[in-house]
Amino acid sequence: MEERNELYPVFLKVNKLNILVVGGGQVGHEKLHFLFKSSPNANVEIVAKWFLPETEELAKKHGAKLTKGRYRRKYLKNRHFVIAATNDAKLNKRVYKHAKKRYLLANIADTPELCDFYMGGIVNKGHVKIAISTNGKSPTAAKRLRQFFEEVIPEDVNQMVENLNEYRSTIKGDFEAKVEQMNSITESLKVKNKSDD
């Protein structure tokens, strides 16, 4: 039987969540960069013994809190999830164990078996956001797919979404009637399979 991707995609309002990132080096910087690229107002605290200058700059730009010092279990208090992104595998594993005791979601860099979630490739065009997952198998494939979708999705897709939202607010009737009307209007967005012709 073929292996399936059983991850459930969600879009988190990270500006309303408390996120801890452990690690101020290159791996931590990468995680922060992609988090802020997608969600510039994410509520983040970064804990590390030292920080790359570009990490300090990124944190300042997005209002993230930098805490210089060693990771301690107390930093997990009042968090919703944690990202461990250090080059110390033992420390990363310790963060994971502490997170599990508190029922927190954890992402441990480059260790798929210690991840409750993955930070996949993201395509962002205004209100339209597409997340891409390879089930932790190939970040490079996710990157290439992201680049592909960024090229093929038209720049004016945001205007279409705005127009459909305005139209939706004018539709009368119950939920089922509204869904039926919106489905009818957006039917032309489906790509026809050649065998359908």
Side-chain angles (χ1 to χ4, degrees):
M1 189 172 154
E2 190 178 327
E3 188 180 350
R4 290 183 55 193
N5 184 334
E6 295 189 9
L7 298 171
Y8 187 79
V10 296
F11 291 92
L12 300 172
K13 296 179 179 180
V14 290
N15 62 318
K16 296 181 178 183
L17 301 177
N18 294 320
I19 304 162
L20 179 70
V21 174
V22 180
Q26 191 57 48
V27 181
H29 180 77
E30 233 175 74
K31 295 280 186 182
L32 279 174
H33 170 74
F34 287 111
L35 180 62
F36 286 134
K37 182 179 177 191
S38 181
S39 305
N41 297 309
N43 184 18
V44 182
E45 180 177 357
I46 307 112
V47 175
K49 292 181 195 173
W50 58 274
F51 300 97
L52 289 173
E54 51 266 41
T55 301
E56 290 177 341
E57 192 177 307
L58 189 64
K60 185 178 179 182
K61 178 181 175 186
H62 293 280
K65 181 181 178 186
L66 292 174
T67 301
K68 206 169 202 171
R70 289 177 50 201
Y71 161 79
R72 302 225 186 278
R73 185 183 323 201
K74 68 179 182 179
Y75 290 123
L76 294 177
K77 189 176 181 185
N78 299 322
R79 304 291 175 186
H80 294 99
F81 68 85
V82 60
I83 298 167
T86 76
N87 60 3
D88 181 342
K90 283 184 180 176
L91 173 58
N92 288 347
K93 196 167 191 171
R94 199 166 84 228
V95 172
Y96 177 78
K97 286 180 178 178
H98 292 166
K100 293 296 93 192
K101 284 183 180 172
R102 291 179 179 260
Y103 299 98
L104 296 177
L105 295 175
N107 175 281
I108 310 304
D110 297 325
T111 317
E113 66 275 13
L114 297 184
C115 288
D116 297 313
F117 64 93
Y118 300 128
M119 298 171 78
I122 296 171
V123 179
N124 201 3
K125 299 256 181 162
H127 292 297
V128 176
K129 189 170 279 194
I130 300 169
I132 302 162
S133 164
T134 59
N135 212 14
K137 302 286 185 195
S138 177
T140 303
K143 176 184 173 182
R144 294 297 176 223
L145 286 167
R146 175 184 54 80
Q147 291 168 336
F148 170 76
F149 284 117
E150 282 174 343
E151 283 182 29
V152 298
I153 296 172
E155 290 301 324
D156 64 351
V157 72
N158 199 49
Q159 188 58 54
M160 178 195 68
V161 170
E162 291 280 7
N163 292 344
L164 287 170
N165 184 51
E166 279 181 38
Y167 179 73
R168 186 179 72 170
S169 67
T170 68
I171 299 174
K172 305 287 183 231
D174 64 9
F175 179 76
E176 266 184 54
K178 289 180 180 185
V179 168
E180 195 173 308
Q181 235 178 312
M182 290 303 291
N183 282 340
S184 174
I185 288 166
T186 58
E187 183 72 27
S188 65
L189 295 176
K190 287 181 7 185
V191 176
K192 292 204 176 207
N193 192 326
K194 290 192 186 221
S195 62
D196 293 344
D197 294 342

